[in-house]
Every structure is written in structure tokens, then in C-alpha cells.
Amino acid sequence: MLDEHRIAAAAGLANGVIRVEAAVDSTNSRLARCREAGEPVRILLAEHQSAGRGRHGRRWLSPPGRGLYLSMAWSFQQPPRELGALSLTAGLAAAEAIERQVAVRVGLKWPNDLQIDGRKLGGCLVDLATGRNGATNAIIGIGINVDFRGLDGPDQPWTDLAAHAGRIDRNRLAADLIQGLDRELDRFNQAGFAAVAERWRGRDVLFGRDLVLIKPGQANLDGRGAGVDAHGGLVVETDQGRRIVRSGEVSQRIRTHGT
Ligand code: BTN
């Protein structure tokens, strides 16, 4: 079970900053409500989410005790439009924390999917709101499939840590993830995405791959992944030249024989 005292001690956090709840709707939503109510909690984890949220309005499968569902509050001076790379930075911190705890290689699929061997292991969801003082209040949510054995997973190619490792200590993983997130977000705050871009590129699973960019209401864009720019935009080589993509969803084109 997740234990807030163990996690706080391992991550060097003061009392009251971190909270573990048995069940919430969504850790992102719950933490936002706590912050609005002026509570000191900055990091919130739950054993279960009844309405876990994924990107693009999807639901995030959150079976009780089988995953890591964590949200962290941060405040930035930049306006929301300059914080697009925040979720890439969070994904990088999560991939690195997982690798420190479990012997797996975690790739990143733009903008912030965590993958092992092309299957989704986790993801990040960042909610941004402008605060009263003009700062941007961010809630950074990370979901990781830890042990889904015997369960029906999401309806896309997915994996969990248990498929690649023995017993996983979720408390240690959570503590390491919290420390890694704080470190990388601090770096991002000081120097922007450029400070971590090279490490992100080292995990880019779309690099050199044929892909299709899907944007609602627009024609799909075919191209080949060519990395990310200093602001976290996806660089795509197309027949019409290089394009920088700042939003949308990318799917990898699977080439069938002879195409
Ligand atoms: C994605 O679609 O890949 C993003 C998934 C993010 C899920 C996490 S779980 C903790 C936090 N609370 C939520 O409701 N969502 C995020």
C-alpha cells in the first residue's frame, strides 16, 4: 500500500506537503480543489481514481492498488502559452525515475507518453490555470501502470512494469519520481525546455519513424519524426519541408510489406 510517511521520509518532504488518499475522482482535480481551498498539500497520490483523466478528454484506467496516480502542484511566472514543454519535461523525469527503480528502458512518444517496446506504460496530464497573482498554477499528473496482471487493460497496446520486473516498491518509485520531478521542473523553470531537450531526444521513439499527425478539423499530416525543437515542438519532415508541430496527436505509421 502507498504510505505517505514513507514517501515523505524518502523524498525529504515536510509533513502536510504530501497526501495519499484511498480513492478520489482524479488526483489532478482533487489536488486543484485542495489548492483552491488553501491547503498546504502540494503532492497528491491515490490508490484509486474513479474518474482518472487522460489527454484529449479520454479516461485513464486506474485500478485500485495497481498503478501510480500522482499529481504535483507547481507555480510558474510564464503564461500558459509558454508552458507547452512542461508535460514533456514531466515525462522525461518520470522515465528517468522508472529506470532508476526498475531495469527497463523507457521511451518517450511525443508529447508525453511513456512507452516500453512501443507499448504504453504511462502518461502525463498537465492542467494549467492563471492564478490571482498572474502566475500560472500547474497541476502535473503522472499515471504509471505498475501491475495490471489479470486485469483488462486500456484499449490500445499497453504494458505495465510487472511484465518487465519482479516486485515493484510503489513507495520508493513514488519518492524517486517526486524528487526527479522537482529537480527537472526546477531546471525547466530556470532555463526552459532547452536545458533538458538533449536528454528528451535520447528517448524519442518517433525519431526517424514514419508518422501521421492527426489534428481535429484539419487534414492529417504525413511525415517522418525529426526530433523536438528547443521549445518542445515536434519536428516533422514532410514532402513540403520541415514542420514544427505544437499540438495534436501522432500515430506511428506501420509500414506493411511492399509499401
Ligand atoms: C495520458 O493520456 O497519457 C495522460 C494520462 C495521465 C494520467 C494521470 S493519473 C494521475 C493524474 N490524474 C488524472 O486524472 N490524470 C493524471
Side-chain angles (χ1 to χ4, degrees):
M1 294 292 277
L2 292 170
D3 177 333
E4 74 187 27
H5 300 289
R6 267 192 65 194
I7 302 172
L13 298 167
N15 273 347
V17 169
I18 174 170
R19 186 185 297 169
V20 173
E21 299 205 9
V24 296
D25 50 354
S26 143
T27 54
N28 271 29
S29 312
R30 173 90 181 107
L31 182 57
R33 293 195 298 271
C34 292
R35 303 291 296 173
E36 273 158 32
E39 296 179 37
V41 57
R42 192 170 71 80
I43 298 154
L44 196 133
L45 293 104
E47 291 285 7
H48 173 54
Q49 300 185 113
S50 55
R53 292 190 281 118
R55 294 178 66 239
H56 303 295
R58 294 198 194 96
R59 97 180 227 274
W60 185 257
L61 203 67
S62 314
R66 303 295 200 95
L68 208 61
Y69 319 119
L70 176 148
S71 298
M72 182 183 259
W74 261 76
S75 186
F76 296 91
Q77 286 314 310
Q78 299 94 312
R81 71 185 140 75
E82 288 174 27
L83 293 171
L86 187 53
S87 63
L88 280 80
T89 309
L92 175 67
E96 292 182 343
I98 293 166
E99 282 189 11
R100 282 191 295 270
Q101 296 295 323
V102 185
V104 286
R105 176 76 190 151
V106 182
L108 293 167
K109 176 176 170 247
W110 187 90
N112 50 24
D113 278 7
L114 306 170
Q115 287 194 347
I116 298 178
D117 297 334
R119 293 175 166 271
K120 186 152 171 168
L121 171 75
C124 311
L125 179 75
V126 175
D127 293 323
L128 300 174
T130 304
R132 283 185 206 98
N133 52 3
T136 303
N137 296 328
I139 304 278
I140 297 139
I142 314 264
I144 300 170
N145 306 337
V146 176
D147 186 352
F148 279 20
R149 279 177 295 184
L151 302 175
D152 288 332
D155 51 1
Q156 61 170 307
W158 61 275
T159 189
D160 61 359
L161 290 176
H164 304 271
R167 233 185 72 77
I168 291 120
D169 184 335
R170 286 186 303 148
N171 287 306
R172 277 183 49 193
L173 179 58
D176 200 343
L177 177 59
I178 290 164
Q179 287 183 307
L181 276 170
D182 270 336
R183 202 166 45 237
E184 298 313 327
L185 295 175
D186 195 38
R187 203 166 275 165
F188 173 83
N189 202 13
Q190 309 279 330
F193 181 69
V196 298
E198 218 34 61
R199 278 157 51 220
W200 203 98
R201 290 184 189 113
R203 295 178 184 276
D204 181 359
V205 300
L206 294 177
F207 188 83
R209 301 292 171 130
D210 290 332
L211 52 84
V212 190
L213 177 79
I214 303 142
K215 276 197 166 203
Q218 292 183 30
N220 289 351
L221 178 72
D222 287 300
R224 180 166 292 189
V228 287
D229 72 1
H231 306 286
L234 179 71
V235 185
V236 182
E237 297 281 5
T238 73
D239 289 345
Q240 293 81 43
R242 271 192 165 206
R243 296 279 166 84
I244 311 286
V245 179
R246 305 238 169 254
S247 66
E249 187 160 15
V250 174
S251 101
Q252 206 169 308
R253 207 180 253 303
I254 312 291
R255 293 241 164 223
T256 50
H257 193 66
T259 62

mmCIF file of all heavy atoms in Angstrom, residues 206-224:
data_model
loop_
_atom_site.group_PDB
_atom_site.id
_atom_site.type_symbol
_atom_site.label_atom_id
_atom_site.label_comp_id
_atom_site.label_asym_id
_atom_site.label_seq_id
_atom_site.Cartn_x
_atom_site.Cartn_y
_atom_site.Cartn_z
ATOM 1 N N LEU A 206 9.817 8.413 -31.763
ATOM 2 C CA LEU A 206 9.322 8.764 -33.102
ATOM 3 C C LEU A 206 10.450 9.186 -34.042
ATOM 4 O O LEU A 206 10.228 9.353 -35.242
ATOM 5 C CB LEU A 206 8.298 9.906 -33.013
ATOM 6 C CG LEU A 206 6.980 9.588 -32.292
ATOM 7 C CD1 LEU A 206 6.098 10.828 -32.217
ATOM 8 C CD2 LEU A 206 6.235 8.457 -33.005
ATOM 9 N N PHE A 207 11.649 9.340 -33.500
ATOM 10 C CA PHE A 207 12.746 9.835 -34.338
ATOM 11 C C PHE A 207 13.008 8.880 -35.514
ATOM 12 O O PHE A 207 13.188 7.680 -35.320
ATOM 13 C CB PHE A 207 14.027 10.008 -33.519
ATOM 14 C CG PHE A 207 15.107 10.694 -34.294
ATOM 15 C CD1 PHE A 207 15.133 12.076 -34.382
ATOM 16 C CD2 PHE A 207 16.062 9.967 -34.987
ATOM 17 C CE1 PHE A 207 16.112 12.723 -35.131
ATOM 18 C CE2 PHE A 207 17.035 10.607 -35.744
ATOM 19 C CZ PHE A 207 17.058 11.981 -35.811
ATOM 20 N N GLY A 208 12.985 9.442 -36.720
ATOM 21 C CA GLY A 208 13.262 8.646 -37.921
ATOM 22 C C GLY A 208 12.106 7.738 -38.325
ATOM 23 O O GLY A 208 12.243 6.954 -39.259
ATOM 24 N N ARG A 209 10.977 7.855 -37.639
ATOM 25 C CA ARG A 209 9.824 6.984 -37.928
ATOM 26 C C ARG A 209 8.810 7.708 -38.805
ATOM 27 O O ARG A 209 8.580 8.904 -38.631
ATOM 28 C CB ARG A 209 9.106 6.571 -36.638
ATOM 29 C CG ARG A 209 9.969 5.842 -35.662
ATOM 30 C CD ARG A 209 10.323 4.512 -36.240
ATOM 31 N NE ARG A 209 11.318 3.855 -35.434
ATOM 32 C CZ ARG A 209 11.219 2.614 -35.004
ATOM 33 N NH1 ARG A 209 10.167 1.900 -35.327
ATOM 34 N NH2 ARG A 209 12.159 2.087 -34.290
ATOM 35 N N ASP A 210 8.166 6.927 -39.677
ATOM 36 C CA ASP A 210 7.057 7.486 -40.459
ATOM 37 C C ASP A 210 5.877 7.668 -39.530
ATOM 38 O O ASP A 210 5.557 6.764 -38.743
ATOM 39 C CB ASP A 210 6.673 6.538 -41.591
ATOM 40 C CG ASP A 210 7.752 6.495 -42.654
ATOM 41 O OD1 ASP A 210 8.467 7.509 -42.803
ATOM 42 O OD2 ASP A 210 7.911 5.458 -43.308
ATOM 43 N N LEU A 211 5.240 8.819 -39.621
ATOM 44 C CA LEU A 211 4.132 9.080 -38.700
ATOM 45 C C LEU A 211 3.021 9.885 -39.371
ATOM 46 O O LEU A 211 3.199 10.452 -40.457
ATOM 47 C CB LEU A 211 4.653 9.806 -37.453
ATOM 48 C CG LEU A 211 5.486 11.073 -37.640
ATOM 49 C CD1 LEU A 211 4.598 12.278 -37.814
ATOM 50 C CD2 LEU A 211 6.376 11.272 -36.425
ATOM 51 N N VAL A 212 1.894 9.905 -38.708
ATOM 52 C CA VAL A 212 0.758 10.705 -39.166
ATOM 53 C C VAL A 212 0.360 11.604 -38.017
ATOM 54 O O VAL A 212 0.166 11.126 -36.897
ATOM 55 C CB VAL A 212 -0.470 9.821 -39.494
ATOM 56 C CG1 VAL A 212 -1.549 10.653 -40.192
ATOM 57 C CG2 VAL A 212 -0.092 8.631 -40.319
ATOM 58 N N LEU A 213 0.246 12.888 -38.321
ATOM 59 C CA LEU A 213 -0.213 13.819 -37.292
ATOM 60 C C LEU A 213 -1.705 14.054 -37.497
ATOM 61 O O LEU A 213 -2.145 14.400 -38.587
ATOM 62 C CB LEU A 213 0.539 15.139 -37.398
ATOM 63 C CG LEU A 213 0.044 16.163 -36.385
ATOM 64 C CD1 LEU A 213 0.626 15.890 -35.015
ATOM 65 C CD2 LEU A 213 0.369 17.563 -36.838
ATOM 66 N N ILE A 214 -2.455 13.845 -36.418
ATOM 67 C CA ILE A 214 -3.909 13.984 -36.501
ATOM 68 C C ILE A 214 -4.324 15.218 -35.715
ATOM 69 O O ILE A 214 -4.040 15.316 -34.520
ATOM 70 C CB ILE A 214 -4.594 12.732 -35.910
ATOM 71 C CG1 ILE A 214 -4.099 11.486 -36.658
ATOM 72 C CG2 ILE A 214 -6.112 12.834 -35.970
ATOM 73 C CD1 ILE A 214 -3.902 10.287 -35.790
ATOM 74 N N LYS A 215 -4.970 16.168 -36.406
ATOM 75 C CA LYS A 215 -5.471 17.362 -35.729
ATOM 76 C C LYS A 215 -6.947 17.467 -36.029
ATOM 77 O O LYS A 215 -7.339 17.466 -37.203
ATOM 78 C CB LYS A 215 -4.765 18.611 -36.265
ATOM 79 C CG LYS A 215 -3.447 18.887 -35.601
ATOM 80 C CD LYS A 215 -3.035 20.318 -35.892
ATOM 81 C CE LYS A 215 -1.916 20.722 -34.978
ATOM 82 N NZ LYS A 215 -1.813 22.146 -34.800
ATOM 83 N N PRO A 216 -7.787 17.553 -34.997
ATOM 84 C CA PRO A 216 -9.230 17.620 -35.233
ATOM 85 C C PRO A 216 -9.568 18.773 -36.184
ATOM 86 O O PRO A 216 -9.047 19.869 -36.031
ATOM 87 C CB PRO A 216 -9.815 17.863 -33.838
ATOM 88 C CG PRO A 216 -8.715 17.540 -32.879
ATOM 89 C CD PRO A 216 -7.418 17.656 -33.599
ATOM 90 N N GLY A 217 -10.399 18.486 -37.168
ATOM 91 C CA GLY A 217 -10.857 19.526 -38.085
ATOM 92 C C GLY A 217 -9.840 19.893 -39.159
ATOM 93 O O GLY A 217 -10.056 20.812 -39.939
ATOM 94 N N GLN A 218 -8.702 19.227 -39.192
ATOM 95 C CA GLN A 218 -7.689 19.535 -40.208
ATOM 96 C C GLN A 218 -7.273 18.252 -40.914
ATOM 97 O O GLN A 218 -7.436 17.163 -40.372
ATOM 98 C CB GLN A 218 -6.448 20.143 -39.548
ATOM 99 C CG GLN A 218 -6.684 21.523 -38.967
ATOM 100 C CD GLN A 218 -5.394 22.109 -38.385
ATOM 101 O OE1 GLN A 218 -4.303 21.815 -38.857
ATOM 102 N NE2 GLN A 218 -5.557 22.925 -37.366
ATOM 103 N N ALA A 219 -6.692 18.429 -42.109
ATOM 104 C CA ALA A 219 -6.217 17.236 -42.840
ATOM 105 C C ALA A 219 -5.034 16.630 -42.087
ATOM 106 O O ALA A 219 -4.238 17.345 -41.481
ATOM 107 C CB ALA A 219 -5.788 17.651 -44.247
ATOM 108 N N ASN A 220 -4.940 15.312 -42.115
ATOM 109 C CA ASN A 220 -3.797 14.644 -41.475
ATOM 110 C C ASN A 220 -2.506 15.047 -42.183
ATOM 111 O O ASN A 220 -2.501 15.353 -43.372
ATOM 112 C CB ASN A 220 -3.958 13.129 -41.559
ATOM 113 C CG ASN A 220 -5.058 12.631 -40.642
ATOM 114 O OD1 ASN A 220 -5.586 13.396 -39.827
ATOM 115 N ND2 ASN A 220 -5.402 11.375 -40.764
ATOM 116 N N LEU A 221 -1.421 15.040 -41.425
ATOM 117 C CA LEU A 221 -0.123 15.391 -41.987
ATOM 118 C C LEU A 221 0.775 14.164 -41.905
ATOM 119 O O LEU A 221 0.983 13.601 -40.835
ATOM 120 C CB LEU A 221 0.475 16.542 -41.172
ATOM 121 C CG LEU A 221 1.860 17.046 -41.567
ATOM 122 C CD1 LEU A 221 1.797 17.815 -42.884
ATOM 123 C CD2 LEU A 221 2.425 17.963 -40.477
ATOM 124 N N ASP A 222 1.295 13.754 -43.070
ATOM 125 C CA ASP A 222 2.226 12.609 -43.095
ATOM 126 C C ASP A 222 3.651 13.118 -43.069
ATOM 127 O O ASP A 222 3.956 14.137 -43.673
ATOM 128 C CB ASP A 222 2.045 11.818 -44.398
ATOM 129 C CG ASP A 222 0.753 11.033 -44.389
ATOM 130 O OD1 ASP A 222 0.609 10.188 -43.506
ATOM 131 O OD2 ASP A 222 -0.107 11.306 -45.264
ATOM 132 N N GLY A 223 4.504 12.419 -42.407
ATOM 133 C CA GLY A 223 5.901 12.828 -42.399
ATOM 134 C C GLY A 223 6.751 11.841 -41.647
ATOM 135 O O GLY A 223 6.347 10.697 -41.397
ATOM 136 N N ARG A 224 7.933 12.327 -41.301
ATOM 137 C CA ARG A 224 8.873 11.483 -40.563
ATOM 138 C C ARG A 224 9.384 12.274 -39.358
ATOM 139 O O ARG A 224 9.728 13.451 -39.481
ATOM 140 C CB ARG A 224 10.035 11.128 -41.492
ATOM 141 C CG ARG A 224 11.067 10.262 -40.815
ATOM 142 C CD ARG A 224 12.010 9.656 -41.815
ATOM 143 N NE ARG A 224 11.314 8.686 -42.654
ATOM 144 C CZ ARG A 224 11.921 7.870 -43.512
ATOM 145 N NH1 ARG A 224 13.212 7.928 -43.657
ATOM 146 N NH2 ARG A 224 11.241 7.008 -44.221
#
